[in-house]
Amino acid sequence: TKFSIASAIVVFIVISFLAISTYLLVNATLQQKTQAYITDNTTLLSSSIGNWLIGKKSQINIIKQSLDNDFSPQNFQALLENPAFVNDFLLMFGTLSNERGLRSNDPNRVNPPEIDFRERAWFKLAQEQKNIAFTSPYVDAATKELLLSVVAPIYKNSALMGVVGGDLSLNEIAKSVNTINFNDTGYAFIVDGDANIITHPNKSLNGKSARTIYKQSPTNDNKLIEIEHEGLQKILYFNRLDSNTGLDWYVGVILDKDRVYESLATFSLR
C-alpha cells in the first residue's frame, strides 16, 4: 500500500540519517582523539629533549658564573677539568682571548700549531651572542658522530676573557626519538626552523631538507597536516622545543593515515 511504502521511505530516511550522523560523530571523535594522541605524545617527547638541553646549558652556566666572578687562567683550566662534568660532556674545552690554542680536559689532546681557535665558529658565536648558545649540529671528523656544542663567553670588567664550552653527542636524543613509533603507525624526527633534518630514523635523511622530503616546513600552529608521501596518505605534525633552549628546533611526527583511522575505515565498510 501507499502507506506502507511511505512508512518504509520514512524509516529508510531515519536510518540513513542516523547512520550518517553516527559516521560523522565517529569521524569527529576519532579526529579529536588522534589530535590529542599525537599532540600529547609529541609534546612529551619535545619536553624531554628540551629539558635535557636546558640542563646542559645550566651546567655550562655554572662555569660561566664562577669565572665571571673570579677569572684567572688557572681557574679556567681547573673548571674544564672538574670531574663533575666528565660524564655529561664528551669534551670540556675553551680558548682564552690572549691565546691561540684550545684548552680542554683531555690531557692527550695536541693543538695543531697552524690553527687559531679564536677564529672558530663556536668562539665567534659566543662572542657575538654574549651569552650561552648552542652551535649548529656537526659531524665529528674523527668519530663521524653527530655532535652539538654549548658555549659561553667569559667576561671580566666587561672585557672578553675567553669562551668555554662542552661537546654533546646527539646520539642520546636520536635514540629517544628513533624509538618512538606510535604503535607502529609512524615515527618521529627532529628538524630545525629552516627545515633541515637534524636526526631521523632513516640516517640517510639527516642533513636533508624536510621541504624536499615532505614538501612541508615546520610550523607551530598545532595543526595536523595531511600529505602524500611515498604514494601513501600521511599525517604530519610539528611541535617546537621550549624556547629556553635557545634552539629553533621542532619534533616532527609522520603517521600513516590509514592505520591511524583504521577503526573509522572499518566502520565505513560496515
Side-chain angles (χ1 to χ4, degrees):
T1 66
K2 293 182 178 180
F3 178 76
S4 299
I5 294 173
S7 298
I9 291 173
V10 170
V11 170
F12 174 78
I13 292 173
V14 170
I15 293 175
S16 298
F17 176 78
L18 289 174
I20 293 171
S21 298
T22 303
Y23 173 84
L24 293 175
L25 179 62
V26 170
N27 188 9
T29 301
L30 283 173
Q31 287 180 342
Q32 291 171 359
K33 287 184 177 180
T34 300
Q35 175 89 23
Y37 173 72
I38 294 174
T39 56
D40 288 351
N41 281 278
T42 308
T43 299
L44 183 63
L45 178 59
S46 178
S47 296
S48 175
I49 295 170
N51 290 337
W52 185 80
L53 291 167
I54 290 170
K56 301 305 179 183
K57 284 182 67 175
S58 297
Q59 289 177 286
I60 295 299
N61 190 47
I62 292 172
I63 297 177
K64 173 177 169 56
Q65 290 182 341
S66 178
L67 290 173
D68 281 346
N69 293 327
D70 185 20
F71 175 80
S72 72
Q74 293 77 21
N75 287 344
F76 189 93
Q77 186 63 40
L79 283 167
L80 290 181
E81 296 176 358
N82 191 318
F85 302 110
V86 171
N87 295 324
D88 293 317
F89 296 90
L90 296 178
L91 180 74
M92 293 297 299
F93 63 89
T95 294
L96 300 181
S97 294
N98 61 353
E99 295 181 353
R100 292 170 51 90
L102 185 77
R103 292 170 175 254
S104 75
N105 62 346
D106 182 358
N108 298 317
R109 193 183 180 286
V110 178
N111 282 321
E114 72 279 6
I115 296 179
D116 186 341
F117 284 90
R118 294 170 296 183
E119 299 299 320
R120 291 297 199 185
W122 56 265
F123 190 98
K124 291 184 177 294
L125 174 66
Q127 189 176 22
E128 292 168 0
Q129 295 287 328
K130 298 182 179 180
N131 206 343
I132 302 171
F134 284 103
T135 66
S136 298
Y138 60 95
V139 177
D140 183 76
T143 65
K144 305 303 179 184
E145 188 174 359
L146 189 62
L147 303 181
L148 179 74
S149 298
V150 53
V151 295
I154 307 301
Y155 293 99
K156 181 178 182 180
N157 298 326
S158 300
L160 181 68
M161 294 290 101
V163 173
V164 66
D167 285 341
L168 300 167
S169 170
L170 285 179
N171 280 350
E172 290 303 314
I173 291 180
K175 287 177 183 177
S176 65
V177 171
N178 295 348
T179 55
I180 304 296
N181 63 14
F182 294 89
N183 293 324
D184 293 323
T185 62
Y187 56 83
F189 59 98
I190 296 180
V191 63
D192 67 20
D194 293 323
N196 299 309
I197 295 174
I198 295 168
T199 179
H200 193 285
N202 181 352
K203 292 183 179 180
S204 67
L205 298 182
N206 290 347
K208 295 185 179 180
S209 174
R211 294 191 191 100
T212 302
I213 307 301
Y214 303 115
K215 312 303 180 186
Q216 295 287 336
S217 296
T219 64
N220 199 33
D221 56 10
N222 199 38
K223 292 182 179 179
L224 303 185
I225 306 167
E226 294 192 7
I227 65 170
E228 183 176 331
H229 178 61
E230 297 178 337
L232 298 173
Q233 294 300 309
K234 303 283 187 177
I235 297 174
L236 181 63
Y237 176 75
F238 294 102
N239 185 277
R240 193 176 186 219
L241 294 192
D242 190 328
S243 60
N244 289 323
T245 62
L247 290 168
D248 187 20
W249 286 11
Y250 295 77
V251 172
V253 169
I254 186 161
L255 305 174
D256 189 303
K257 182 181 176 181
D258 287 341
R259 291 185 181 180
V260 171
Y261 291 126
E262 183 176 357
S263 58
L264 178 60
T266 301
F267 176 83
S268 299
L269 291 173
R270 292 176 182 174

